[in-house]
Amino acid sequence: MNPYQDMFEGINPDITPEDPIALHLLPEGSGVGRDGSLWIRGQKVSDLAKEFGTPLFIYDEVQIRDRARQLKNLFGADVAYASKAFLCIAMAKICADEGLHLDVASGGELAVALRAGFPAERVVFHGNNKSRSELQLALEVGVGRIVVDSFNEIDRLEALAADRGPVKVWIRVTPGVEAHTHEFVMTGQDDSKFGFGMMSGDAKLAMDRLRTSDSLQLVGVHAHIGSQIFSLDSFVKEVEILAPFFASAGVDELNFGGGLGVPYLQGEPRISFEEWASALQDGARAAGIPSSARIMVEPGRSLVAPTAITVYEVGTIKEIPSVRTYLSVDGGMSDNPRPVLYDSGYEVFAIDNLLSFRERKVTVVGKHCESGDILVKDGRLPSSVKIGDYIATPVTGAYGYSMASNYNKVTRPPVVFVNNEGYRLVLRRETVDDLVSLDVE
Ligand SMILES: *Cc1c(COP(=O)(O)O)cnc(C)c1O
């Protein structure tokens, strides 16, 4: 029996922090070379790091496409990828190829989608403060669904849509579900900046208002209760609360949003797309939602997070006896602000030494001028790790690059896609010229 079998097969309940990185946290196309090095889809990861430099995002394109197809098999055509999780032209093209819809929440995201040739009629436009010009652009290019989020927005959109045919809209409601997740990523509770509250009666008022609108046509109901949610009960609750409202709306599109959680750490649970789909679909049936309703979802994180890793080079190691060991890398909060924003945990591993035990406790920090610039608090690496080695954090495919910044004028990393045919650069590294491109002298 292969002693590393558990690493490949999933969660080993006996796993300890010193164990080698669990391979189920790595992209699906990962394999281990004879020398213990990480390969993805036949590419040696340290060779990619040498070619493109570090930090470097590497995505398994095959896995992105596989996950998109799994979702489509479960939900039919009605899956929208929430582009804020990770968007670039190559990603929008994958979504177009795979027949997904695309959620955008700003004119910028919409513009990138359009540059990629993404069909506007498959775009869903979200946001709690879409500007006049963003709405105007959406109308001009023929965005398929605009999700109205406030009474002010209904006014704005009606004024713009007056001399057009009816514009199809969904109504975003806040069902009052407290998803069990980080406060900053909870969106379904009554006290939220998003949408029309169901408890307050605003949702009903907005629905009545839309029903009598000449220029806006209500075609669906939308809710999104938060992100990184592991409790299927929260989703079932959402379905139960939305069901009577949906019935009263007299429409046939019902969008439950995204929010499915993914494991970032060894030992964290994994909820499959099948389980999520069953919870929503069985829940809908139990709540009396007719089978003719189009049940739609908008996953962001769960589609892309597990498909990427970020590779860094170790630059400095500082041991403070009986306090902690700081291991500094060449990126940080500028390529992954999630630990700072949400106190998110990550695993870390040495890409050329995948199978060794990780006996050494280290805190992996970035190069920014902030003590809070932590990537992995109390992470684990093999004790052999030294200056110049490559280390990586897994599960960085969502809300890493998309939230990246130039803080300290650090240039944003490149992004490489690997597939069964080879690899390609889809976003180049930012340059100093890019950094001064906005300066007016
Ligand atoms: C962010 C967001 C999503 C995606 O959330 P994930 O947790 O990444 O799946 C879906 N719908 C809306 C409206 C969102 O704002």
Side-chain angles (χ1 to χ4, degrees):
M1 155 115 183
N2 176 348
Y4 299 109
Q5 199 64 32
D6 289 332
M7 293 166 54
F8 287 94
E9 288 191 344
I11 296 157
N12 170 358
D14 300 326
I15 209 149
T16 71
E18 298 91 63
D19 278 314
I21 182 77
L23 293 191
H24 73 266
L25 291 174
L26 303 186
E28 205 172 65
S30 297
V32 189
R34 275 178 191 281
D35 58 355
S37 59
L38 173 62
W39 293 62
I40 304 178
R41 303 268 164 216
Q43 305 299 327
K44 189 172 183 178
V45 170
S46 54
D47 286 349
L48 294 175
K50 278 177 204 141
E51 180 172 347
F52 296 101
T54 53
L56 173 65
F57 283 91
I58 302 173
Y59 279 80
D60 180 348
E61 179 179 351
V62 178
Q63 188 183 9
I64 299 176
R65 290 180 185 273
D66 281 351
R67 292 180 83 70
R69 285 171 203 173
Q70 286 166 27
L71 285 161
K72 277 196 65 180
N73 285 338
L74 292 163
F75 290 99
D78 297 326
V79 176
Y81 167 60
S83 72
K84 70 176 189 282
F86 170 65
L87 179 64
C88 61
I89 287 178
M91 184 65 205
K93 283 187 169 157
I94 289 179
C95 294
D97 281 0
E98 298 299 335
L100 301 185
H101 299 252
L102 197 69
D103 271 16
V104 300
S106 74
E109 287 176 352
L110 175 56
V112 173
L114 296 172
R115 289 280 181 101
F118 195 90
E121 66 276 10
R122 294 215 311 261
V123 172
V124 179
F125 198 177
H126 287 282
N128 65 301
N129 187 21
K130 305 177 202 72
S131 68
R132 253 185 73 90
S133 60
E134 286 174 323
L135 291 170
Q136 181 90 47
L137 173 66
L139 294 178
E140 271 162 20
V141 301
V143 160
R145 299 286 182 273
I146 297 178
V147 188
V148 294
D149 205 281
S150 68
F151 291 109
N152 300 135
E153 184 175 84
I154 295 177
D155 295 341
R156 251 192 313 263
L157 193 56
E158 272 191 327
L160 292 168
D163 43 358
R164 296 173 186 268
V167 172
K168 289 186 171 143
V169 300
W170 285 339
I171 178 175
R172 173 156 183 174
V173 300
T174 38
V177 175
E178 304 233 348
H180 296 284
T181 183
H182 192 288
E183 187 188 349
F184 294 172
V185 291
M186 273 181 6
T187 52
Q189 72 282 16
D190 295 322
D191 180 2
S192 169
K193 73 168 181 168
F194 297 106
F196 297 97
M198 293 187 67
M199 304 300 163
S200 66
D202 277 357
K204 164 105 182 46
L205 287 175
M207 181 168 80
D208 293 344
R209 166 92 199 269
L210 290 168
R211 279 233 193 80
T212 59
S213 173
D214 293 329
S215 52
L216 307 184
Q217 182 195 358
L218 179 66
V219 297
V221 171
H222 173 274
H224 168 71
I225 57 171
S227 200
Q228 187 60 358
I229 297 166
F230 282 113
S231 143
L232 287 175
D233 286 349
S234 295
F235 289 109
V236 172
K237 197 102 210 234
E238 176 193 10
V239 175
E240 284 168 1
I241 294 172
L242 285 178
F245 183 81
F246 175 69
S248 71
V251 294
D252 55 25
E253 297 175 6
L254 179 53
N255 188 323
F256 291 123
L260 179 64
V262 301
Y264 284 86
L265 300 173
Q266 218 126 279
E268 279 185 332
R270 175 191 305 270
I271 298 178
S272 67
F273 286 150
E274 285 79 6
E275 290 167 296
W276 188 42
S278 302
L280 292 173
Q281 289 161 350
D282 298 349
R285 215 159 303 135
I289 294 171
S291 57
S292 58
R294 278 174 68 182
I295 294 198
M296 315 178 75
V297 286
E298 313 172 312
R301 184 194 312 275
S302 57
L303 182 52
V304 288
T307 68
I309 63 170
T310 312
V311 184
Y312 304 94
E313 186 180 320
V314 177
T316 308
I317 300 176
K318 173 179 175 179
E319 265 178 67
I320 311 175
S322 67
V323 178
R324 80 175 63 242
T325 298
Y326 284 102
L327 187 147
S328 301
V329 296
D330 46 0
M333 62 191 285
S334 55
D335 59 73
N336 187 2
R338 293 191 64 254
V340 180
L341 284 173
Y342 316 118
D343 206 16
S344 312
Y346 283 86
E347 295 284 341
V348 61
F349 61 98
I351 63 170
D352 283 322
N353 193 3
L354 220 52
L355 302 181
S356 291
F357 282 86
R358 301 178 297 167
E359 310 91 346
R360 189 168 191 191
K361 195 165 158 186
V362 294
T363 287
V364 180
V365 296
K367 61 185 279 113
H368 298 276
C369 305
E370 302 275 336
S371 293
D373 174 25
I374 291 170
L375 284 170
V376 186
K377 194 169 179 201
D378 297 334
R380 291 279 178 169
L381 282 169
S383 43
S384 61
V385 165
K386 57 183 188 314
I387 308 303
D389 283 3
Y390 292 129
I391 61 172
T393 46
V395 202
T396 55
Y399 306 110
Y401 192 91
S402 68
M403 287 185 157
S405 75
N406 305 117
Y407 182 41
N408 284 131
K409 297 291 185 204
V410 168
T411 53
R412 274 175 288 194
V415 178
V416 166
F417 278 11
V418 292
N419 62 29
N420 291 327
E421 282 73 54
Y423 61 91
R424 65 199 161 105
L425 183 66
V426 299
L427 285 161
R428 64 162 171 81
R429 183 180 302 284
E430 219 166 12
T431 63
V432 170
D433 285 339
D434 293 324
L435 290 181
V436 296
S437 66
L438 303 179
D439 285 77
V440 181
E441 287 184 271

